[in-house]
Amino acid sequence: MSDFARSPLTAILGPTNTGKTHLAVERLCAHSSGMIGFPLRLLAREVYDRVVRLKGESQVALVTGEEKILPKDARWLLCTAESMPMERDVAFVALDEAQLGADPERGHIFTDRMLHARGREETMILGSESLKPMVRALLPKAEIIGRPRFSTLSYAGPAKLSRLPPRSAIVAFSAEQVYAVAEMLRRMRGGAAVVMGALSPRTRNAQVAMYQAGEVDYLVATDAVGMGLNMDVGHVAFAGLSKFDGRRRRRLTPAEMAQVAGRAGRHQRDGTFGALTLEGDRGAEFRPEEIEAIEEHRFAPLDHLYWREGEPDFSHVDALIRSLERRPGEPALRAAPEAVDLAVLKRLAGDAEVRRRAVGADRVRRLWAACGLPDFRKTGADHHARLVARLYGHLSEGAGRIPQGWYAEQVARLDNVQGDIDTLADRIAGVRTWAYIAHRSDWLAAPAAMAERTRAVEEKLSDALHERLTQRFVDRRTAVLMRDVGGKGAGDFPVIVDEQGEVSVGTYPIGRLDGFDFQVDPLARHSDRKMLLATAERRLGGEYEKRAAALVADTDDHFTLRTEAGEKVAILWRGHEVARLGPGKNLLSPRILLDRRLARVSERGRDAVVERLKNWVRSRVERSLGSLRAAGLAAQDPAVAPDARSVLAMLVDEGGIVARAAVARPLANLDREQRRGLSRLGVRIGALDLFIPDVLKPEARRWRTALKAAAAGEAMPPLPPPASVLLPTPDEAARAMLARLGFRAMGPQMLRVDLAERLARHAHQARSGKQASVIDEALATSLGLRPQSVARLMRDLGFRPAANDLGWVWKGAPRQPERKADPGHAFAALGKLRRNG
């Protein structure tokens, strides 16, 4: 550093990310005292915090228009350029971003500091390479040292918002555009931090801390981000390439583009920049020459800086205005355009009352100080002039102090954290006005107390604004899940499944796990559903395995068979579908088809689940259809006669009920002992049907129907009421299903086969003389059989109407002369029926 010692005035010029500010801070701390002027209050605060860590709070001061921290023994000062105490004698002075001397609005301030701010031992001017001609022209004795950029900055081309890489900063040039981009990022990527010049340091720091901590991967900012704010940004995307400069909307110069783009990359890490394309809009487009200039850090040199008299004439108001409008004598300098303070002064100069008061150098100096109140709320010169006029009225009468009560009332009006982002930002701008006033030591009777009051209100509003920005532009759940899907920091957020099945990643709910079925949080946006499902896929593997193990270990009473009509037959575990039944090797041994949701379980876990469900189905079939299973085993037993096995096989295939006519041939070949063997298996050989009575019970009927539907790959058909024995005859398809369930069609009605057999047995007993009448009148009446149904049953049993409508006779009896039968008289003639011996 000996080179600096030999050269008291040095200009350090170069692009962004060259460590110029870092070097200035090092030199500041190396001297016994020093001061740096910055373009932004935010940047001054950032460096102040850094120097405090090195030197201690009692040794470091922060001096800005709205905030002053001035310890009694402070030796190192961090200031905004406007607030640099030029009368202060310090060993080191630096001015950051000195190329802002070319800015029409604030340029004259930077030019004045560049020309007059000096340290006893060392002065440093920091700026871009384009400032070099101005340094040579205005500071010929200064040593110019170039600083190369630490990393490469390259053009990455245009990109949609959805394609921007993480750790990107999107730069917009209006608050409306900042909000629009941030809102889109919230929906698509979980949100963004927001940085604008209008934010207080507290709000800005909270937003940047959120970005730096990785809570969000994107930052949306105005071009204030280009002024030395150091953040971990890999890519800068321009949402536009033009801005309103206070007078007109114009395209950014390549140097301005580079100032912003240069935020990408840090130290040795390379960065990229490009344009942002929005839906339906091609967006900003860089010209080839602009890209080349930014990448090569080559820009047109500045040919002028703006200047305004730094030591104006305070003898009279008109003299003050004339001196401020004086033209510079240096060719490299131009008269600054009329700034807000001068515009306000001119307006007040036309006020007779102000002129009456502003007499004498002290009063004129005080007027000019009042005109220097920044228009933080951007209300315009006319509106701002009315506030300044009122302030000057207080400052130029009596003790020359602003009334404490009135001042406190203005601050109290702003002490309200209700409202939206714009409302809070406007209140903060208003508080900055009163904070500026409080830091003028000769404007208030108790400036320190009022400064503390405004600071407290600003902090409260800043915290509320940070909260609103986060609420509006950050979806923390989506941000967490985006990092999880990207594989970053997945272990930082544990997956929690509570007793109700609510699934959370960290503290953010993502959905509900019912059994093995994950359902996305119903409050989630439609655009987030895929991401939430992907997160569940990644993070719930262990939970699925635990649930599979719990299923295998569970007791039988926690499994049920779903047999709702129109639905596929399924097995439910604790109310959750885990499998369906499909065609198996036989009716009583269906195949277990695991639900697709169990695909997330390991193969070993799935095999264990299938085996457990098979055992449950086997036990339930044994309980409800044990007789049918026994018949099935006998049908496969070689020791059983072939004809008996044939009968049993057909009976089992039909679910325990088969029409006698269907097995007539093998049945006819069975001897008495073989028929007894069937009876021992629970098979009843009826006049019309062979059936196993146990399968007619409601639960057996349900299981038999379910197994039949599963074997056919069909949905569960509707079941008749459990206690039903007689039903109206439906259409042909439903009639076939009821027949399989054990109902025999009898004309307009269908009767359960065991009751049909009771009527059949009574009729045949009447043939053999054991009953007086062919029809069991009491049973038929109690069942509600219609005459047509009785007639059909009698015919199926082999009876025919007797002559003269006097009942029924066996078909083998000699025929008598007959008259036309009337089935409606069937029951009336029951008592007169004769049996045919």
Side-chain angles (χ1 to χ4, degrees):
M1 303 301 293
S2 58
D3 290 341
F4 290 98
R6 291 196 301 268
S7 179
L9 179 57
T10 309
I12 309 296
L13 307 180
T16 55
N17 194 24
T18 59
K20 298 188 296 291
T21 303
H22 182 74
L23 175 62
V25 173
E26 279 189 348
R27 297 303 302 150
L28 173 82
C29 295
H31 284 279
S32 59
S33 62
M35 173 170 57
I36 303 178
F38 295 99
L40 295 175
R41 177 191 179 194
L42 298 175
L43 187 52
R45 180 76 199 212
E46 180 181 290
V47 177
Y48 166 80
D49 291 337
R50 193 192 315 174
V51 178
V52 163
R53 289 193 292 269
L54 296 172
K55 299 294 186 179
E57 285 189 18
S58 64
Q59 300 292 304
V60 186
L62 174 68
V63 185
T64 71
E66 315 97 272
E67 187 176 18
K68 286 183 173 62
I69 303 175
L70 277 169
K72 182 179 63 173
D73 300 321
R75 293 192 289 156
W76 294 278
L77 292 83
L78 292 311
C79 320
T80 51
E82 287 85 346
S83 298
M84 293 174 72
M86 299 291 286
E87 72 284 357
R88 187 84 173 229
D89 180 23
V90 291
F92 173 83
V93 167
L95 176 67
D96 193 24
E97 305 290 0
Q99 76 277 0
L100 286 178
D103 179 68
E105 187 176 349
R106 301 173 66 205
H108 63 276
I109 299 292
F110 285 83
T111 301
D112 181 77
R113 303 304 184 252
M114 180 176 161
L115 293 175
H116 301 115
R118 295 291 182 267
R120 290 192 313 271
E121 300 169 10
E122 182 180 357
T123 301
M124 188 177 287
I125 307 296
L126 311 177
S128 67
E129 190 74 21
S130 61
L131 187 63
K132 185 183 290 186
M134 296 296 96
V135 173
R136 285 177 175 162
L138 300 173
L139 306 172
K141 294 183 179 181
E143 179 182 1
I144 297 176
I145 299 177
R147 297 276 292 190
R149 183 179 165 89
F150 290 153
S151 59
T152 300
L153 181 63
S154 55
Y155 178 62
K160 293 182 178 179
L161 203 61
S162 59
R163 299 287 185 178
L164 286 182
R167 315 314 292 168
S168 289
I170 299 93
V171 179
F173 295 92
S174 69
E176 292 77 10
Q177 195 173 35
V178 167
Y179 296 161
V181 172
E183 181 65 34
M184 286 187 283
L185 282 170
R186 185 188 70 83
R187 294 197 303 267
M188 299 168 59
R189 296 286 184 163
V194 173
V195 173
M196 299 186 292
L199 300 184
S200 66
R202 189 180 181 91
T203 304
R204 175 263 177 190
N205 289 344
Q207 289 285 301
V208 169
M210 187 169 63
Y211 173 80
Q212 292 292 81
E215 294 179 38
V216 292
D217 275 330
Y218 300 90
L219 177 80
V220 186
T222 58
D223 54 344
V225 76
M227 292 297 177
L229 298 179
N230 294 313
M231 286 169 286
D232 183 17
V233 174
H235 177 79
V236 171
F238 286 76
L241 290 174
S242 62
K243 72 172 184 178
F244 182 73
D245 63 7
R247 290 173 173 77
R248 61 186 177 89
R249 189 158 196 87
R250 61 172 178 81
R251 189 176 181 86
L252 300 176
T253 66
E256 290 171 327
M257 296 175 188
Q259 185 75 27
V260 173
R263 293 300 104 196
R266 196 173 184 188
H267 302 305
Q268 302 293 322
R269 193 176 69 246
D270 294 340
T272 58
F273 69 97
L276 176 68
T277 57
L278 300 175
E279 195 68 33
D281 182 9
R282 295 182 63 186
E285 292 186 3
F286 284 92
R287 297 165 182 163
E289 62 273 18
E290 293 169 339
I291 296 171
E292 182 180 358
I294 296 169
E295 290 182 333
E296 300 296 328
H297 315 300
R298 290 187 288 101
F299 308 106
L302 296 176
D303 59 2
H304 69 275
L305 298 179
Y306 287 109
W307 175 89
R308 191 173 73 181
E309 178 59 63
E311 296 182 359
D313 183 354
F314 293 108
S315 61
H316 189 273
V317 171
D318 294 330
L320 174 60
I321 294 173
R322 283 195 300 271
S323 63
L324 291 172
E325 291 183 331
R326 185 180 303 141
R327 305 191 68 80
E330 288 284 345
L333 301 177
R334 287 188 188 176
E338 184 177 274
V340 173
D341 54 0
L342 180 55
V344 169
L345 176 62
K346 286 184 173 181
R347 283 162 175 76
L348 296 185
D351 186 317
E353 180 60 23
V354 171
R355 277 191 171 274
R356 186 185 68 78
R357 292 170 179 263
V359 175
D362 290 342
R363 288 291 185 89
V364 173
R365 190 184 301 274
R366 204 162 179 76
L367 173 61
W368 179 233
C371 292
L373 174 68
D375 182 15
F376 291 112
R377 296 182 108 159
K378 306 299 181 186
T379 57
D382 288 332
H383 188 279
H384 191 55
R386 289 196 287 272
L387 172 61
V388 173
R390 183 161 189 177
L391 290 174
Y392 183 67
H394 294 306
L395 295 173
S396 59
E397 65 185 10
R401 298 290 188 270
I402 296 171
Q404 195 88 350
W406 179 75
Y407 179 93
E409 181 184 343
Q410 305 307 309
V411 175
R413 288 178 179 176
L414 299 169
D415 189 4
N416 179 1
V417 296
Q418 302 303 313
D420 58 15
I421 291 172
D422 290 334
T423 300
L424 290 172
D426 183 65
R427 288 196 191 117
I428 289 174
V431 169
R432 292 174 69 187
T433 298
W434 301 105
Y436 181 95
I437 292 169
H439 287 294
R440 304 290 297 192
S441 60
D442 58 342
W443 285 17
L444 292 169
M450 291 299 100
E452 180 60 28
R453 171 69 177 136
T454 56
R455 185 192 64 79
V457 173
E458 181 177 328
E459 287 186 356
K460 186 192 296 185
L461 292 171
S462 297
D463 291 342
L465 179 56
H466 171 64
E467 181 183 342
R468 297 293 194 286
L469 289 168
T470 304
Q471 285 177 348
R472 179 171 172 183
F473 300 127
V474 177
D475 183 336
R476 293 187 184 275
R477 176 177 68 183
T478 303
V480 167
L481 299 182
M482 285 298 298
R483 292 200 298 281
D484 184 76
V485 171
K488 300 185 299 178
D492 297 341
F493 300 95
V495 171
I496 300 168
V497 183
D498 67 16
E499 294 180 357
Q500 287 73 43
E502 294 293 336
V503 181
S504 301
V505 177
T507 58
Y508 307 111
I510 66 171
R512 182 182 182 86
L513 188 61
D514 290 323
F516 295 88
D517 181 21
F518 175 76
Q519 293 293 329
V520 171
D521 183 356
L523 299 178
R525 296 185 304 273
H526 179 74
S527 58
D528 289 344
R529 292 183 63 82
K530 286 186 178 179
M531 179 175 55
L532 294 174
L533 288 170
T535 298
E537 192 76 26
R538 285 170 51 85
R539 304 296 298 279
L540 288 175
E543 181 65 23
Y544 288 128
E545 294 296 332
K546 285 196 297 185
R547 294 195 173 205
L551 182 154
V552 171
D554 218 344
T555 55
D556 281 359
D557 55 344
H558 287 120
F559 296 91
T560 54
L561 188 71
R562 187 186 70 192
T563 54
E564 281 86 2
E567 299 283 345
K568 293 285 187 179
V569 179
I571 301 174
L572 306 183
W573 172 57
R574 294 181 178 267
H576 308 300
E577 181 177 339
V578 292
R580 291 183 178 179
L581 301 186
K585 60 182 180 181
N586 58 52
L587 181 69
L588 301 181
S589 301
R591 184 181 177 191
I592 303 297
L593 305 173
L594 287 184
D595 188 87
R596 58 180 176 77
R597 300 175 186 89
L598 272 80
R600 304 179 179 104
V601 179
S602 66
E603 184 177 359
R604 181 178 178 182
R606 292 198 304 272
D607 290 344
V609 169
V610 169
E611 191 61 32
R612 176 69 183 90
L613 297 179
K614 281 183 178 178
N615 291 336
W616 178 77
V617 170
R618 190 179 297 116
S619 69
R620 284 301 183 268
V621 168
E622 191 65 36
R623 176 184 295 183
S624 301
L625 301 171
S627 299
L628 189 61
R629 182 180 287 282
L633 293 174
Q636 300 174 12
D637 187 353
V640 178
D643 285 323
R645 294 208 309 269
S646 177
V647 171
L648 289 171
M650 295 181 69
L651 181 68
V652 171
D653 283 346
E654 291 300 319
I657 303 168
V658 64
R660 181 167 179 152
V663 294
R665 181 174 294 179
L667 184 64
N669 294 331
L670 300 183
D671 58 26
R672 184 183 298 273
E673 184 57 34
Q674 290 169 341
R675 288 181 178 237
R676 286 176 178 170
L678 294 184
S679 296
R680 285 193 294 271
L681 290 170
V683 179
R684 183 175 297 178
I685 302 174
L688 297 174
D689 300 285
L690 273 69
F691 61 93
I692 300 174
D694 285 349
V695 305
L696 299 177
K697 296 177 180 178
E699 185 63 8
R701 178 194 295 171
R702 186 174 77 93
W703 268 91
R704 194 160 48 86
T705 306
L707 294 172
K708 196 75 175 176
E714 298 173 351
M716 183 74 180
L719 291 172
S724 58
V725 295
L726 184 69
L727 300 168
T729 300
D731 58 33
E732 185 174 350
R735 186 162 62 244
M737 190 273 294
L738 287 176
R740 290 196 298 272
L741 293 180
F743 289 83
R744 168 161 283 278
M746 295 164 46
Q749 294 174 297
M750 294 188 77
L751 182 64
R752 203 170 69 192
V753 293
D754 58 333
L755 295 172
E757 286 302 328
R758 282 180 60 182
L759 292 170
R761 186 167 59 252
H762 184 94
H764 285 291
Q765 285 175 349
R767 278 184 61 206
S768 62
K770 296 179 181 179
Q771 296 289 348
S773 62
V774 174
I775 298 176
D776 186 340
E777 179 181 1
L779 179 60
T781 302
S782 66
L783 292 174
L785 283 172
R786 295 166 59 182
Q788 295 92 330
S789 301
V790 174
R792 174 60 184 269
L793 176 63
M794 291 296 102
R795 288 190 180 94
D796 289 346
L797 290 172
F799 291 86
R800 58 182 171 80
N804 302 319
D805 196 23
L806 294 176
W808 297 85
V809 297
W810 185 245
K811 288 183 179 180
R815 287 184 174 271
Q816 301 291 332
E818 297 181 359
R819 64 182 179 182
K820 189 173 182 181
D822 182 3
H825 295 162
F827 288 161
L830 283 176
K832 300 178 182 179
L833 288 178
R834 56 186 173 82
R835 122 182 111 77
N836 184 347

